[in-house]
């Protein structure tokens, strides 16, 4: 089996120095290539993932295209944990039509650390490639559990205080054709993400230049209805997408420019909107409510 490795750094591609500081390491990339049996290595983008910007995603995509041009049977990607969900969603959209498996791997500690989960993750990714399931996936091993395969655009960001990754539904990947012909060269931060908290003051947001808002709900799919509705009313021409979890908001109706989106992560919705705006999609609500690769999950199935 011909495997290409796209190494972008992160903890899995690092070593601890004598002061205990995690630093990017070519030796780590070489070790990963040996573990997975890579026939080719693409490592021109190397960074700690918290430093990723939109322009880096563009570079990332071009490197992936270079790797695909070598006609591998599968691609293993190494990446940092901090922005893993963003990059995996972006790759899932950009390579919806892939005919090979693309598997993204991260680890909690460098491979030289005794308790690193990286070895199990890399071995599981290599085994998964042998199934030849086309799509973009992420593999991660939560503490105390076996490695798990996740759909690239269903992955939820890990919580600040733990090393756990979860996702919506299973890892079934399905290209619907929605993203075919799209320009994925992202530029500009034209989508604002808002997370709820007690005391949230919408008046602090200057949304000049923004084309869309993504408002996340609390765990029960709720927000402060009065405040969010009043905020949206002030900007009737800006669509505001609410990631409402499993069910429709149980309360009064929202103003027309608030669109409830069920069964899709805030991260996947954000990336999807950036792509739509880049491509001047006129009807953003209609576009984001359509599946591109199976990122929208039936609420009854997760």
């Amino acid at each position: 089996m011909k495997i290409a490795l796209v190494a972008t750094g992160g903890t899995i591609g690092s070593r601890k120095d004598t002061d205990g500081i995690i630093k990017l390491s070519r030796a780590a990339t070489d070790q990963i290539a040996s573990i997975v049996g890579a026939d080719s290595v693409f490592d021109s983008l190397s960074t700690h993932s918290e430093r990723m910007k939109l322009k880096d995603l563009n570079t990332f995509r071009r490197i992936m295209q270079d790797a695909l041009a070598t006609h591998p049977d599968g691609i293993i990607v190494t990446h940092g944990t901090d922005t893993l969900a963003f990059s995996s969603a972006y790759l899932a959209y950009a390579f919806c039509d892939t005919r090979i498996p693309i598997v993204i791997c991260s680890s909690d500690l460098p491979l030289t650390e005794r308790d690193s989960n990286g070895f199990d993750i890399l071995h599981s990714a290599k085994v998964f490639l042998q199934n030849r399931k086309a799509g973009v996936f992420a593999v991660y091993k939560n503490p105390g559990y076996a490695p798990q395969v996740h759909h690239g655009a269903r992955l939820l960001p890990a919580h600040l205080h733990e090393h756990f990754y979860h996702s919506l539904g299973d890892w079934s990947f399905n290209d619907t054709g929605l993203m075919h012909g799209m320009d994925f060269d992202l530029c500009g931060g034209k989508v604002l993400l808002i997370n709820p908290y007690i005391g949230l003051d919408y008046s602090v947001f200057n949304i000049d230049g923004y084309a869309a808002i993504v408002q996340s709900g609390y765990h029960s799919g709720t927000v402060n209805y009065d405040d969010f509705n009043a905020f949206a009313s002030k900007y009737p021409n800006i669509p505001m997408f609410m990631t409402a979890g499993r069910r429709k908001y149980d309360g009064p109706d929202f103003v027309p420019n608030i669109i409830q989106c069920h069964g899709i992560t805030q991260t996947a919705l954000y990336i999807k909107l950036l792509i739509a705006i880049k491509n001047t999609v006129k009807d953003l609500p209609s576009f984001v409510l359509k599946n591109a690769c199976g990122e929208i999950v039936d609420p009854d199935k997760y």
Side-chain angles (χ1 to χ4, degrees):
M1 185 176 193
K2 185 179 179 182
I3 298 175
L5 170 65
V6 175
T8 69
T11 296
I12 196 169
S14 300
R15 295 279 192 267
K16 278 188 179 181
D17 66 13
T18 54
D19 295 321
I21 298 173
I22 295 176
K23 293 185 176 181
L24 301 172
S25 167
R26 174 67 202 198
T29 299
D30 292 341
Q31 183 181 13
I32 293 167
S34 176
I35 291 170
V36 302
D39 297 274
S40 56
V41 178
F42 299 82
D43 61 352
S44 56
L45 174 64
S46 185
T47 183
H48 289 296
S49 70
E50 72 273 15
R51 299 177 182 176
M52 290 283 282
K53 300 180 180 179
L54 292 181
K55 63 177 181 146
D56 295 315
L57 289 181
N58 299 332
T59 299
F60 196 177
R61 186 191 75 258
R62 288 190 284 269
I63 295 170
M64 293 293 296
Q65 290 169 336
D66 290 341
L68 285 166
T70 65
H71 305 292
D73 298 307
I75 298 178
I76 287 180
V77 180
T78 53
H79 194 284
T81 56
D82 287 330
T83 56
L84 175 62
F86 290 90
S87 292
S88 63
Y90 176 71
L91 293 185
Y93 290 136
F95 298 102
C96 274
D97 59 351
T98 179
R99 296 185 178 182
I100 65 169
I102 297 171
V103 183
I104 310 168
C105 303
S106 300
S107 69
D108 57 355
L109 294 169
L111 295 174
T112 47
E113 300 300 302
R114 183 183 64 181
D115 296 328
S116 175
N117 60 9
F119 288 101
D120 288 340
I121 290 168
L122 290 170
H123 284 299
S124 294
K126 185 176 180 180
V127 170
F128 182 77
L129 288 186
Q130 296 171 0
N131 293 322
R132 309 293 177 96
K133 297 289 186 182
V136 179
F137 310 95
V139 172
Y140 197 77
K141 182 182 185 299
N142 290 332
Y145 293 87
Q148 184 176 358
V149 178
H150 303 271
H151 185 295
R154 296 182 189 170
L155 190 66
L156 295 162
H159 192 276
L160 175 64
H161 300 289
E162 61 183 19
H163 288 294
F164 283 80
Y165 269 100
H166 304 284
S167 56
L168 305 184
D170 59 21
W171 48 264
S172 301
F173 197 92
N174 178 39
D175 174 28
T176 68
L178 183 67
M179 291 291 178
H180 291 190
M182 289 283 178
D183 181 354
F184 297 98
D185 208 29
L186 303 180
C187 58
K190 295 184 178 180
V191 179
L192 177 66
L193 301 185
I194 301 177
N195 292 309
Y197 57 90
I198 294 177
L200 171 59
D201 181 4
Y202 287 98
S203 69
V204 303
F205 296 112
N206 178 1
I207 61 175
D208 291 342
Y210 282 92
I213 308 294
V214 176
Q215 166 76 61
S216 180
Y218 287 111
H219 83 280
S220 59
T222 60
V223 293
N224 184 317
Y225 168 85
D226 293 328
D227 288 355
F228 184 37
N229 221 29
F231 174 60
S233 296
K234 291 182 180 179
Y235 305 96
N237 296 321
I238 298 179
M240 302 199 180
F241 299 87
M242 179 177 167
T243 53
R246 295 174 183 260
R247 60 185 178 82
K248 183 178 179 180
Y249 187 83
D250 186 17
D253 291 334
F254 284 113
V255 294
N257 61 317
I258 293 179
I259 301 96
Q260 294 188 59
C261 302
H262 306 279
I264 185 171
T265 71
Q266 182 189 45
T267 305
L269 181 56
Y270 167 70
I271 295 293
K272 194 173 186 179
L273 281 166
L274 288 177
I275 294 168
I277 292 164
K278 170 65 178 182
N279 289 272
T280 61
V281 172
K282 292 183 180 179
D283 189 349
L284 289 178
S286 177
F287 181 82
V288 301
L289 292 174
K290 294 177 182 176
N291 248 311
C293 57
E295 76 280 10
I296 302 175
V297 185
D298 182 341
D300 292 331
K301 294 183 179 179
Y302 72 92

